[in-house]
Amino acid sequence: MTDLPQPARTTVADLVREGLGGVAGRPARAVLSALGIAIGVAAMVAVLGISASSQAELQARLDALGTNLLRVGAGNTVQGKPAKLPENASAMVNRIESVHRVAAAGTVERVPVLRNDEVDPLATGGITVEAVETDLLGTLEAVVRTGSWLNDATSRYPVVVLGSEAAKRLAIDTAGDQIYLGDRWFTVLGVLEPVPLAAELDRSAMVGWAAAQRYLGFDGHPTTVYERSDPSRVDEVRAVLPVTVNPEHPEEVAVSRPSDALAAQLQAKATFTASFLGLGAVALLAGGVGVANTMVISVLERRSEIGLRRALGARRSQIRAQFLAEAVLMSGFGGVAGVLLGLVASVGYAVSNSWLLALPVEAIAGGVASSVLVGVVAGWVPAGRAAALAPTVALAAT
């Protein structure tokens, strides 16, 4: 008895070669189908890459600034009226054992900050006057951009240090200029860089404590006390600050940690990332529909090829694998292109903003994997339809 010839086995290399042949046979259609996948993957990779770089930059800033800074402010009285911190609040906080540095700032009310004495007193540009202690710069780890900071000598005279935004609004870039505070001239001693943990100072004109009392009628009550303590004992210090600052009315003292705002930004960015990933997934889904549509048309156009292969002994599983491989390769090419586009966008955005560069490996691997998965799903039904065609029916279609 003569053995019937057995169909040749199809290797992975054969599938790849056949799939590439199918894709190359209709290049324009394949490119357009892969483009939808590329757009979806690029959007997802770019969102994850930009988010990772942004969070890395924010985390680096947070680590550099420290999370051990606490801010003490005045709350409200039991009658709901604004309270005041005691004049010795800074000295009281300095008595706490774990506290390393303390400095106070007090808002000087009803003192306009003007470029000169010819400007309308109401046109202050939103700049406030702050009486500050000389330790404020070190406590906040702020940086002087130009000029110098207040010291024990200069803090007694009519000199002022401008926050970054205040200097911009007054069109002052260097030390030595003069501005008009209240009813007298003050010399600009320096200009600060932005202060992330005390952004209100960016819009302030800072005057020495003694000079504010002497020249501007400051009442000596601090508005805010900033303190840095042992990082491992921040919570303990936070608990005792109200009763230390104001033993008689601790309920009138509000304590906050400025770094919590930056930490909240990290969480907010994570939320936005999830939203944008959803949009990328929608684009990827649309690309998958395009691949499926292309494969359905391909099966209809290649029925004669399918019939000939079946007549020559190809199994249904081999026909299914051929068209499935074609769909996966088409989608995979789009995924690789999308990953490259997403990485270019991520790197470009990070470099343009001078951020730390962070490229999430999971986004790269996930982009390629998701495109392959979309190819499998999109090609499954068309490949099944191709495998189900009988040789006689397929050949009759020619």
Side-chain angles (χ1 to χ4, degrees):
M1 182 176 177
T2 305
D3 293 335
L4 295 174
Q6 298 295 319
R9 293 185 178 181
T10 304
T11 64
V12 174
D14 293 331
L15 289 176
V16 172
R17 186 166 51 253
E18 292 171 356
L20 288 174
V23 172
R26 297 161 182 80
R29 189 184 300 169
V31 168
L32 291 176
S33 299
L35 183 60
I37 300 293
I39 292 173
V41 172
M44 298 176 72
V45 172
V47 166
L48 289 173
I50 291 172
S51 176
S53 295
S54 174
Q55 293 189 35
E57 177 67 20
L58 193 55
Q59 188 63 57
R61 287 174 55 199
L62 193 58
D63 293 341
L65 295 170
T67 59
N68 62 333
L69 177 69
L70 293 178
R71 170 179 173 161
V72 181
N76 294 320
T77 65
V78 292
Q79 290 82 20
K81 297 180 180 180
K84 283 188 175 184
L85 294 178
E87 294 184 32
N88 63 345
S90 181
M92 295 292 286
V93 171
N94 201 33
R95 295 179 182 179
I96 301 175
E97 181 180 357
S98 301
V99 171
H100 297 160
R101 306 195 71 157
V102 181
T107 301
V108 183
E109 302 289 348
R110 295 182 295 278
V111 175
V113 181
L114 308 174
R115 188 64 180 85
N116 56 59
D117 56 354
E118 300 296 330
V119 178
D120 183 352
L122 298 179
T124 62
I127 303 173
T128 60
V129 177
E130 296 286 335
V132 298
E133 295 180 340
T134 55
D135 287 340
L136 185 66
L137 188 74
T139 302
L140 294 176
E141 296 185 3
V143 177
V144 178
R145 186 173 68 199
T146 182
S148 59
W149 178 247
L150 299 163
N151 56 39
D152 291 340
T154 56
S155 63
R156 299 176 178 274
Y157 295 97
V159 295
V160 61
V161 175
L162 298 176
S164 58
E165 184 61 29
K168 185 185 300 183
R169 295 179 185 181
L170 293 170
I172 292 177
D173 295 323
T174 58
D177 286 343
Q178 289 192 317
I179 60 175
Y180 204 68
L181 272 65
D183 58 355
R184 67 177 303 130
W185 293 96
F186 276 66
T187 301
V188 176
L189 187 63
V191 177
L192 297 184
E193 293 283 3
V195 186
L197 294 183
E200 66 278 4
L201 296 180
D202 293 341
R203 301 179 299 276
S204 301
M206 288 157 275
V207 179
W209 201 270
Q213 290 178 311
R214 180 178 179 181
Y215 301 111
L216 302 176
F218 176 52
D219 63 5
H221 288 275
T223 305
T224 308
V225 177
Y226 303 93
E227 70 82 28
R228 285 193 183 270
S229 52
D230 188 332
S232 63
R233 304 189 66 180
V234 171
D235 291 334
E236 297 177 22
V237 173
R238 188 173 189 169
V240 301
L241 275 174
V243 70
T244 302
V245 172
N246 194 342
E248 295 183 359
H249 299 286
E251 72 281 357
E252 295 180 0
V253 179
V255 181
S256 62
R257 186 185 298 188
S259 59
D260 288 345
L262 290 178
Q265 289 184 37
L266 286 173
Q267 184 61 38
K269 287 180 180 296
T271 302
F272 280 114
T273 297
S275 301
F276 284 116
L277 280 179
L279 295 176
V282 171
L284 190 60
L285 177 61
V289 172
V291 171
N293 185 52
T294 298
M295 293 307 301
V296 168
I297 296 174
S298 180
V299 170
L300 292 175
E301 291 178 345
R302 296 162 63 187
R303 283 179 294 177
S304 59
E305 174 191 333
I306 296 168
L308 181 60
R309 290 201 61 196
R310 292 282 285 122
L312 293 175
R315 301 189 188 96
R316 293 180 184 274
S317 59
Q318 291 174 323
I319 299 297
R320 178 183 290 108
Q322 174 191 348
F323 281 87
L324 198 57
E326 187 175 325
V328 169
L329 285 172
M330 189 185 306
S331 183
F333 288 147
V336 172
V339 167
L340 294 176
L341 287 173
L343 290 178
V344 169
S346 300
V347 172
Y349 197 85
V351 170
S352 65
N353 286 280
S354 301
W355 289 351
L356 292 174
L357 187 59
L359 298 178
V361 178
E362 63 274 12
I364 299 173
V368 176
S370 61
S371 65
V372 171
L373 179 60
V374 168
V376 172
V377 174
W380 188 262
V381 173
R385 291 180 63 179
L389 286 174
T392 54
V393 175
L395 289 172
T398 59

